[in-house]
Every structure is written in C-alpha cells, then in structure tokens.
Amino acid sequence: MDAVLHALRITGSMTWEITWALVLGFALSAVVQAVVRKSTVVALLGDDRPRTLAIAAGLGAASSSCSYAAVALARSLFRKGAHFTAAMAFEIASTNLVVELGVILALLMGWQFTAAEFVGGPVMIVLLAVLFRLFLRDRLLGRARAQAERGLAGSMEGHASMDMSVRKEGSFAARLFSAEGFTSTAHVFVMEWAAILRDLVVGLLIAGAIAAWVPDSFWRTFFFDGHPLASRLWGPLIGPLVAIASFVCSIGNVPLAVVLWKGGISFGGVVAFIFADLLILPILSIYRKYYGARMAAFLLGTFYGAMVVAGYVVEFLFGGLGLVPDRNSATIPMEGVAWNYTTWLNMVFLVLAGALLVRFFRTGGREMLRMMGGGPPEDRD
C-alpha cells in the first residue's frame, strides 16, 4: 500500500506541475482551430511537393494533439482528396509539433527538448516523403484508398470528423472575439481535452509507477548509461519500441519521457520515444482497419525508420553544438501543491478552463461528447 501511495503521490505532483501549461497549450490550439476551416486545409494538401508538405506540417501543428484524433483526421483528409504523404505529414505535425507538447517539454525537461522536437519533426517528415517516393507503390496506395473509403470507424473518429471552426466572415480578430468565436473555441478546447484525457491519465499513472518502483540501476543498465557511444546508438533504436510497448501516446508520454531521461536513455532516444506515439499498438490496429494490413506494416516500417534517423540527427546535432542538457536539470515533480508560481499559474488558467467549460455545456456540448466516439464521420462538416 505504501508503494502504491508513493506512486500516486508522484503522479499527483506531475499533474499539478503541468496543469497550467496544458490549459495554455490547448487554449492556444483551440483559438487557431476555431478560425481555420477544415475545408481550407483539404484544399491545400493535394500533392506531395515540398511546399505542400510544409503547409501540411504547419496546419498540423495548429491542430489536434491527440494521436487517435490525428490519425482519424488524416484518413478523413485522405478520403477527401489530400495526397497520402501530405496527410501523413499533417498527422505527424498534429501530435509532435503542437504548442502544448513544446510547453510541457520545456517545463519538465528543458527548452532543448522543445527545440529538438521542432527540429526532428520536419526531419522525420522529409525522410518519410523520400521513403514514400521510393517504396510506396501505386498498387498498395490504391488498396489503401479502397480500404479507407469503406469508412471503418476507429477511436476518436467522431471527434476528428467535427468541423468546429467559425462560419462567419471577417478578420481573424473579428472572428475570434465574436460570440461564435468564443463558442467555437470552447468547443474545440473541451473536445481536445476529452480526446487526450484517457492517454494523459494513463501516461501519468505509468510514469508515477515507474518512477516509484523501477530502480535506477535497471535503467542505467538497460540504456548503457556510462557508455556514451553505445548509449547514443542504442537510444534512438530502443526509444520507439518502449513507446510501442507502453501504449501511452499524445501528451501522456511526456511524463514517462522524463522518467526515461532521468534513467539514462540518450537525448535522441527521448525524441524518438516521443515521436513514436503514432506507432503504439492500438494505433497500429487502427492503421490496419483504415488502410489494410499491408499498408499498416508499411507505415510501421517507414515511421520507425524515420523516427530512428530523426533521433540520431538530433542526438549528434545537439550533442555537437553542446546543447544536450544535464539530466539533473530535468525534474520528476515530487513536492505536490506549494505556494509558488505553479500554484498561481494553475489558479489563473483553471479559471480560464472553467469559463470555457461552462460555455461548452451551455452551447450543446453534451451532444458533441455523445457523437465523439463514432458515427458517420463525413457528414457533419
């Protein structure tokens, strides 16, 4: 019982430490999503030229941070005419280049990890574009499109299909500060929280348990701590495999990344681990439903390869520039609630979250939550 309580205390401390940053990140993401229509996104993603992939990454970075919703939305874009490579670039950016991820990484691990994500993410997209050009055959792509058109629903399909952007015309400011803008922002904000809450809770619980129960000696041995070259070579290879086995995705894998970093995994290994939220076993199953078993296997191989290479790039680039932070600067929160800047920020942003939550439920939010888990995915735009 003492061991369980110790793990729960760590989980609670982690939750308290990152609450304000999560609210801030999701609020900023909601503002962007509230004023950009999904139909506009689709119109920009019709090929795989570098400019198109850059636009896909930019739009994805302003989109959902939920891995399940990102995967479902990528299929929705693919079915509506987006190029498959552009849809995958959008999917990667949606989970790995979003504001809330960068804020949490900087808060718990240091700004260097935020910078590494925003360097490694584009590297991964470029690598995937090259791999798709070289190895993705028209026959396999045709089968994947036929499977996608069957409309098999996956986790968060209902959420991904909802277009909650503002309908009225006008400038960004006029659309945002209108009553409709407030409602749309509240809807996106709450729906995004509902989409990632399960993964966030699971991730925090797993991170708390591992931090409390797994001895440091195990991690030091497993990650070859004390052997710099072996650690650097091993980290990006093993990082995605740990992520696949952990079942934790979205923002939920950041607390576990802190534990792994403190345990001795390399800098590039952490980055590769975070990228691999798109390869956890439940999402691989969704790929199989969406695109067929062969395309799921193709995505597993190409995504894994791109994640490993991106991990090596940031490992040796940041290492060469002397930007790899000291492990001791990363913190696994232990102190819980205290009268410091975290408490004041949490109070402010929880008030903001409360205001958006009230607006959500006063403007049809319950029905949206009911639709979130499934239903005809293409008829509610």
Side-chain angles (χ1 to χ4, degrees):
M1 182 59 69
D2 288 342
V4 172
L5 290 176
H6 180 43
L8 290 176
R9 280 194 294 270
I10 295 176
T11 295
S13 296
M14 286 183 177
T15 303
W16 184 249
E17 187 72 22
I18 68 175
T19 294
W20 71 268
L22 282 171
V23 174
L24 171 61
F26 280 109
L28 293 174
S29 177
V31 166
V32 174
Q33 292 185 66
V35 296
V36 179
R37 296 187 180 94
K38 187 186 296 183
S39 58
T40 303
V41 175
V42 175
L44 296 171
L45 306 183
D47 55 59
D48 63 345
R49 294 178 299 171
R51 180 177 180 274
T52 302
L53 297 183
I55 292 173
L59 293 171
S63 183
S64 170
S65 66
C66 170
S67 303
Y68 291 103
V71 170
L73 179 54
R75 189 198 66 150
S76 178
L77 296 174
F78 179 50
R79 293 178 69 187
K80 289 184 176 182
H83 194 280
F84 187 73
T85 305
M88 293 300 104
F90 183 96
E91 176 182 303
I92 292 166
S94 290
T95 58
N96 294 297
L97 298 179
V98 289
V99 172
E100 53 268 34
L101 176 64
V103 173
I104 296 299
L105 284 172
L107 182 65
L108 293 183
M109 304 178 72
W111 64 267
Q112 296 92 337
F113 284 94
T114 302
E117 281 293 303
F118 284 91
V119 170
V123 169
M124 182 177 168
I125 290 172
V126 170
L127 290 170
L128 279 176
V130 172
L131 291 173
F132 284 8
R133 281 281 187 96
L134 292 175
F135 301 111
L136 181 55
R137 300 292 179 255
D138 290 341
R139 185 177 180 182
L140 177 58
L141 186 59
R143 289 179 176 176
R145 184 175 294 279
Q147 180 74 7
E149 293 295 341
R150 294 178 60 191
L152 297 175
S155 181
M156 303 313 302
E157 186 72 32
H159 170 43
S161 67
M162 296 178 188
D163 187 354
M164 294 173 279
S165 58
V166 177
R167 300 293 183 181
K168 68 178 292 182
E169 300 299 327
S171 66
F172 180 94
R175 288 157 60 84
L176 176 61
F177 292 107
S178 65
E180 185 182 355
F182 182 29
T183 298
S184 180
T185 300
H187 285 184
V188 175
F189 178 82
V190 177
M191 295 296 283
E192 288 292 287
W193 268 101
I196 66 99
L197 190 58
R198 173 184 61 184
D199 294 308
L200 181 61
V201 171
V202 171
L204 287 165
L205 288 172
I206 290 175
I210 290 176
W213 301 342
V214 179
D216 291 341
S217 59
F218 170 81
W219 292 123
R220 286 195 293 269
T221 301
F222 186 69
F223 294 130
F224 297 109
D225 191 30
H227 304 277
L229 180 59
S231 177
R232 292 178 180 180
L233 295 177
W234 177 242
L237 289 172
I238 198 62
L241 299 181
V242 174
I244 292 172
S246 72
F247 280 63
V248 181
C249 64
S250 304
I251 304 299
N253 64 4
V254 177
L256 182 53
V258 179
V259 175
L260 297 179
W261 173 239
K262 296 287 286 184
I265 194 173
S266 70
F267 184 77
V270 173
V271 173
F273 167 82
I274 294 172
F275 283 152
D277 61 348
L278 291 172
L279 287 183
I280 63 171
L281 293 177
I283 286 182
L284 289 175
S285 178
I286 292 173
Y287 288 147
R288 180 183 58 80
K289 292 178 181 178
Y290 281 179
Y291 308 120
R294 291 186 179 181
M295 180 59 84
F298 179 81
L299 291 176
L300 171 60
T302 53
F303 272 48
Y304 176 76
M307 290 167 186
V308 170
V309 174
Y312 284 134
V313 168
V314 299
E315 176 72 56
F316 291 103
L317 175 62
F318 280 66
L321 295 174
L323 295 178
V324 176
D326 187 348
R327 295 184 195 276
N328 294 327
S329 64
T331 58
I332 300 175
M334 300 283 191
E335 64 181 18
V337 179
W339 282 110
N340 52 27
Y341 79 95
T342 299
T343 298
W344 289 108
L345 287 171
N346 280 344
M347 290 169 62
V348 170
F349 282 100
L350 285 173
V351 169
L352 172 62
L356 293 170
L357 189 64
V358 170
R359 183 72 171 189
F360 175 80
F361 282 109
R362 287 182 174 177
T363 53
R366 286 184 177 84
E367 178 63 16
M368 296 182 71
L369 289 174
R370 186 190 66 80
M371 296 166 63
M372 190 173 180
E378 305 300 333
D379 299 334
R380 295 192 292 272
D381 283 26

